[in-house]
mmCIF file of all heavy atoms in Angstrom:
data_model
loop_
_atom_site.group_PDB
_atom_site.id
_atom_site.type_symbol
_atom_site.label_atom_id
_atom_site.label_comp_id
_atom_site.label_asym_id
_atom_site.label_seq_id
_atom_site.Cartn_x
_atom_site.Cartn_y
_atom_site.Cartn_z
ATOM 1 N N THR A 86 -31.080 52.720 43.513
ATOM 2 C CA THR A 86 -31.877 53.563 42.584
ATOM 3 C C THR A 86 -33.060 54.204 43.321
ATOM 4 O O THR A 86 -33.341 53.803 44.397
ATOM 5 C CB THR A 86 -32.367 52.774 41.352
ATOM 6 O OG1 THR A 86 -33.139 51.713 41.836
ATOM 7 C CG2 THR A 86 -31.159 52.213 40.596
ATOM 8 N N VAL A 87 -33.720 55.090 42.593
ATOM 9 C CA VAL A 87 -34.843 55.777 43.246
ATOM 10 C C VAL A 87 -35.958 54.753 43.521
ATOM 11 O O VAL A 87 -36.613 54.863 44.585
ATOM 12 C CB VAL A 87 -35.287 56.860 42.270
ATOM 13 C CG1 VAL A 87 -36.581 57.533 42.858
ATOM 14 C CG2 VAL A 87 -34.259 57.925 42.145
ATOM 15 N N SER A 88 -36.105 53.796 42.668
ATOM 16 C CA SER A 88 -37.217 52.830 42.864
ATOM 17 C C SER A 88 -37.039 51.973 44.087
ATOM 18 O O SER A 88 -37.917 51.407 44.612
ATOM 19 C CB SER A 88 -37.406 51.897 41.629
ATOM 20 O OG SER A 88 -36.248 51.238 41.388
ATOM 21 N N GLU A 89 -35.795 51.828 44.498
ATOM 22 C CA GLU A 89 -35.494 51.010 45.704
ATOM 23 C C GLU A 89 -35.472 51.738 46.973
ATOM 24 O O GLU A 89 -35.422 51.199 48.030
ATOM 25 C CB GLU A 89 -34.098 50.293 45.451
ATOM 26 C CG GLU A 89 -33.955 49.355 44.405
ATOM 27 C CD GLU A 89 -32.574 48.827 44.166
ATOM 28 O OE1 GLU A 89 -31.678 49.230 44.973
ATOM 29 O OE2 GLU A 89 -32.410 48.041 43.240
ATOM 30 N N ALA A 90 -35.707 53.098 46.970
ATOM 31 C CA ALA A 90 -35.695 53.963 48.161
ATOM 32 C C ALA A 90 -36.967 53.585 48.941
ATOM 33 O O ALA A 90 -37.977 53.289 48.368
ATOM 34 C CB ALA A 90 -35.609 55.373 47.746
ATOM 35 N N PRO A 91 -36.934 53.625 50.279
ATOM 36 C CA PRO A 91 -38.083 53.366 51.023
ATOM 37 C C PRO A 91 -39.172 54.342 50.819
ATOM 38 O O PRO A 91 -38.931 55.591 50.612
ATOM 39 C CB PRO A 91 -37.630 53.329 52.529
ATOM 40 C CG PRO A 91 -36.319 54.165 52.428
ATOM 41 C CD PRO A 91 -35.740 53.925 51.034
ATOM 42 N N LEU A 92 -40.420 53.944 50.804
ATOM 43 C CA LEU A 92 -41.562 54.857 50.576
ATOM 44 C C LEU A 92 -41.924 55.472 51.882
ATOM 45 O O LEU A 92 -41.902 54.771 52.990
ATOM 46 C CB LEU A 92 -42.707 53.995 49.947
ATOM 47 C CG LEU A 92 -42.540 53.430 48.643
ATOM 48 C CD1 LEU A 92 -43.666 52.516 48.243
ATOM 49 C CD2 LEU A 92 -42.332 54.522 47.657
ATOM 50 N N THR A 93 -42.279 56.771 51.832
ATOM 51 C CA THR A 93 -42.794 57.446 53.053
ATOM 52 C C THR A 93 -44.240 57.683 52.950
ATOM 53 O O THR A 93 -44.737 58.055 51.803
ATOM 54 C CB THR A 93 -42.037 58.775 53.213
ATOM 55 O OG1 THR A 93 -42.183 59.565 52.086
ATOM 56 C CG2 THR A 93 -40.527 58.538 53.457
ATOM 57 N N ALA A 94 -44.951 57.566 54.063
ATOM 58 C CA ALA A 94 -46.352 57.755 53.908
ATOM 59 C C ALA A 94 -46.724 59.249 53.950
ATOM 60 O O ALA A 94 -46.147 60.081 54.651
ATOM 61 C CB ALA A 94 -47.005 57.198 55.228
ATOM 62 N N ASP A 95 -47.600 59.650 53.057
ATOM 63 C CA ASP A 95 -47.988 60.983 52.824
ATOM 64 C C ASP A 95 -49.282 61.230 53.735
ATOM 65 O O ASP A 95 -50.321 60.749 53.509
ATOM 66 C CB ASP A 95 -48.370 61.423 51.395
ATOM 67 C CG ASP A 95 -48.682 62.717 51.173
ATOM 68 O OD1 ASP A 95 -48.355 63.543 52.079
ATOM 69 O OD2 ASP A 95 -49.260 63.082 50.109
ATOM 70 N N THR A 96 -49.110 61.974 54.895
ATOM 71 C CA THR A 96 -50.223 62.180 55.804
ATOM 72 C C THR A 96 -50.821 63.560 55.689
ATOM 73 O O THR A 96 -51.599 63.986 56.524
ATOM 74 C CB THR A 96 -49.762 61.905 57.215
ATOM 75 O OG1 THR A 96 -48.688 62.839 57.480
ATOM 76 C CG2 THR A 96 -49.343 60.439 57.452
#
Side-chain angles (χ1 to χ4, degrees):
T86 60
V87 177
S88 61
E89 294 176 2
L92 297 174
T93 57
D95 183 19
T96 57

